[in-house]
Amino acid sequence: LDRAGEDIAEFPAGISQIQADQARMEYLKGRFLALEKAEKETGQRREEYREAGLAYSKALETYRIKHDLYLHEQAGILAEELEEGQPCPVCGSIHHPNPAVKSRKAPDRKELDDLQKAYEKAGDQEKRLQAALARSEENRKNIKDDIEGKVRESFGDIIPEEEYQTIVKQRISVLEKTK
């Protein structure tokens, strides 16, 4: 009973501490939800980037194949005009033992230009998605760092550092598995 007055005086401070702890826990809950959302977004951005990379590689390979056919076709066009004993307009030889032949699969200049535009567009899309992925990963990292900092700030004097790091890593691991 002698301490009753002291206990009553400390009671508002205890309530304030509980309210502050509750506010920190609500904040951390919100940050973990934000991290979960960021993990899903990063996974989605990673998949979009991967698909864009495949599309770019395919478009570039198609262009290269068609470009080679186009160049070979130009040689075939020139070869049609060759006459034995007359100099070749490309190399100057007067002997033409194995002239190039026109291909039926060769693209025309417009098709080649369209293919070039397609692979350049695919490359631009890949770069945009790479930048979006980098931003998403940076956001995810910032949220993780914020959570670790708040946990350290909130529980650093109660929980040893290696334990709260383990707790945060376990929670983050659970979130990463659900993405």
Side-chain angles (χ1 to χ4, degrees):
L1 209 53
D2 290 338
R3 283 194 28 106
E6 291 174 22
D7 288 346
I8 291 174
E10 291 176 4
F11 186 70
I15 290 176
S16 294
Q17 182 61 41
I18 290 171
Q19 289 171 334
D21 289 346
Q22 185 177 13
R24 280 194 297 267
M25 294 308 291
E26 285 298 316
Y27 177 81
L28 283 171
K29 178 182 172 186
R31 295 309 282 165
F32 272 113
L33 290 173
L35 180 60
E36 182 176 14
K37 182 179 175 184
E39 290 286 352
K40 286 179 183 176
E41 180 182 314
T42 300
Q44 184 178 7
R45 297 286 175 263
R46 190 173 288 117
E47 181 60 21
E48 290 169 351
Y49 173 62
R50 186 190 68 75
E51 288 174 6
L54 292 173
Y56 172 70
S57 294
K58 182 178 179 181
L60 181 59
E61 183 63 20
T62 299
Y63 171 78
R64 286 181 176 162
I65 289 169
K66 294 287 188 166
H67 185 257
D68 287 348
L69 287 171
Y70 176 80
L71 293 178
H72 187 72
E73 181 70 3
Q74 301 311 301
I77 291 170
L78 288 172
E80 281 183 334
E81 304 296 321
L82 290 177
E83 293 182 23
E84 194 62 32
Q86 296 297 315
C88 171
V90 176
C91 69
S93 175
I94 58 170
H95 300 290
H96 317 294
N98 192 15
V101 187
K102 283 176 63 173
S103 168
R104 295 175 195 220
K105 299 177 186 177
D108 60 18
R109 187 71 211 168
K110 183 188 177 330
E111 182 183 353
L112 195 62
D113 289 344
D114 290 345
L115 289 169
Q116 182 176 4
K117 288 176 187 169
Y119 93 76
E120 288 172 351
K121 183 178 177 182
D124 292 343
Q125 176 70 358
E126 180 188 35
K127 287 175 188 169
R128 280 193 298 278
L129 290 173
Q130 182 181 29
L133 174 59
R135 286 190 303 273
S136 183
E137 288 175 337
E138 181 68 21
N139 180 49
R140 182 179 54 90
K141 180 189 177 307
N142 289 341
I143 293 170
K144 283 172 71 172
D145 291 348
D146 182 44
I147 289 171
E148 289 177 6
K150 291 297 181 195
V151 168
R152 185 180 301 116
E153 178 184 304
S154 299
F155 305 109
D157 55 341
I158 300 170
I159 303 172
E161 184 171 343
E162 55 277 353
E163 279 187 47
Y164 73 73
Q165 285 180 347
T166 301
I167 292 167
V168 170
K169 286 178 184 173
Q170 286 172 344
R171 179 65 180 145
I172 289 170
S173 174
V174 167
L175 290 173
E176 289 175 343
K177 288 177 185 174
T178 62
K179 61 179 177 175

